[in-house]
Amino acid sequence: MGQLGFFDLSRRYEGLDVKDDPLVAIAAMIPWESLRPKLKASLITGGLRASDVARKSPAGRKPWDEVVIFKALVLQALYNLSDDQAEYQLRDRLSFMRFLGLGLEDAVPDAKTLWLYREALAKAGAVEELFDLFDGFLKDKGYLAMGGQIIDATIVSAPKQHNSREENETIKEGETPQDWKSKLAKNRQRSMNARISATRTTSASTAGTNSCAVTW
């Protein structure tokens, strides 16, 4: 059997598109780069990254791209995956690789990496705000991301909601509108607003290693 080439991979992706892969639509709606400053700052605050000033040398192992990791966390929330399950699915599913912007030749984040990055974001108090922003971008396009099972993650039309000009400007700057913060505390939805929980599970294959299970 020959090695999978570029055009073979393209045809496989086309086959996914025919089946209306919901991750393509989600990926196109989110301005991922606008989240990068918040992700970088939070990873520094959470103790996983050193600031550019504190970093004495560019030598050493290159850290994972923070946007790639956040996309992986989004997949965990959408498909209710533990860290170990997420690592397996990232290796196995073409749709997941494409969502992260990775090719067949690229490494994927392992379970420990996902745990470390999520813990750093949680320590910085950034997880909820980041997912609020994610939700906000989808709602601004008129959609909600629904999930909970590996087979049925999808996007659906959201109830009509008109943001003010000030709210739209705040969202574009990568921040959460202040009014949303107060409303979210009172009006949680069973969509991505059901955040990555702090529930710990112990994987039998990695005894003693905490892996976060995403609950709804």
Side-chain angles (χ1 to χ4, degrees), residues 107-129:
V108 302
D110 60 22
K112 184 177 180 181
T113 297
L114 296 175
W115 183 82
L116 287 172
Y117 274 76
R118 186 180 51 254
E119 287 295 296
L121 293 174
K123 185 177 180 181
V127 172
E128 182 141 354
E129 183 175 354

Side-chain angles (χ1 to χ4, degrees), residues 105-162:
E105 73 283 2
D106 295 320
V108 302
D110 60 22
K112 184 177 180 181
T113 297
L114 296 175
W115 183 82
L116 287 172
Y117 274 76
R118 186 180 51 254
E119 287 295 296
L121 293 174
K123 185 177 180 181
V127 172
E128 182 141 354
E129 183 175 354
L130 286 164
F131 276 92
D132 285 348
L133 289 169
F134 177 86
D135 288 344
F137 290 130
L138 289 182
K139 289 176 183 176
D140 196 44
K141 299 289 185 179
Y143 290 93
L144 294 173
M146 309 295 289
Q149 298 292 333
I150 195 66
I151 59 173
D152 68 359
T154 187
I155 56 174
V156 297
S157 296
K160 295 296 183 181
Q161 175 178 322
H162 300 287

Side-chain angles (χ1 to χ4, degrees), residues 4-180:
L4 188 65
F6 172 78
F7 292 106
D8 296 313
L9 185 59
S10 295
R11 281 195 291 270
R12 293 198 179 191
Y13 282 147
E14 288 173 3
L16 292 174
D17 293 340
V18 169
K19 299 297 183 181
D20 295 324
D21 178 7
L23 295 180
V24 173
I26 293 174
M29 292 181 190
I30 307 299
W32 300 103
E33 286 301 314
S34 69
L35 300 174
R36 189 178 296 279
K38 177 66 177 177
L39 286 163
K40 278 188 173 182
S42 299
L43 291 172
I44 292 171
T45 301
L48 189 61
R49 294 268 188 91
S51 66
D52 292 336
V53 175
R55 190 182 299 113
K56 297 180 180 179
S57 170
R61 186 177 180 180
K62 185 178 179 180
W64 275 97
D65 182 279
E66 52 274 358
V67 173
V68 169
I69 295 295
F70 182 64
K71 287 181 178 180
L73 298 182
V74 168
L75 288 176
Q76 282 190 275
L78 276 174
Y79 292 92
N80 195 22
L81 300 173
S82 69
D83 295 331
D84 290 324
Q85 291 170 335
E87 178 184 348
Y88 174 80
Q89 295 294 342
L90 287 171
R91 296 181 188 278
D92 186 64
R93 292 169 67 96
L94 286 175
S95 60
F96 280 23
M97 294 180 203
R98 178 167 63 170
F99 185 72
L100 267 62
L102 302 177
L104 291 176
E105 73 283 2
D106 295 320
V108 302
D110 60 22
K112 184 177 180 181
T113 297
L114 296 175
W115 183 82
L116 287 172
Y117 274 76
R118 186 180 51 254
E119 287 295 296
L121 293 174
K123 185 177 180 181
V127 172
E128 182 141 354
E129 183 175 354
L130 286 164
F131 276 92
D132 285 348
L133 289 169
F134 177 86
D135 288 344
F137 290 130
L138 289 182
K139 289 176 183 176
D140 196 44
K141 299 289 185 179
Y143 290 93
L144 294 173
M146 309 295 289
Q149 298 292 333
I150 195 66
I151 59 173
D152 68 359
T154 187
I155 56 174
V156 297
S157 296
K160 295 296 183 181
Q161 175 178 322
H162 300 287
N163 299 328
S164 66
R165 180 178 300 176
E166 291 77 11
E167 287 176 330
N168 287 332
E169 289 299 321
T170 301
I171 292 171
K172 290 178 182 178
E173 293 172 2
E175 301 294 335
T176 304
Q178 188 61 42
D179 190 47
W180 287 18

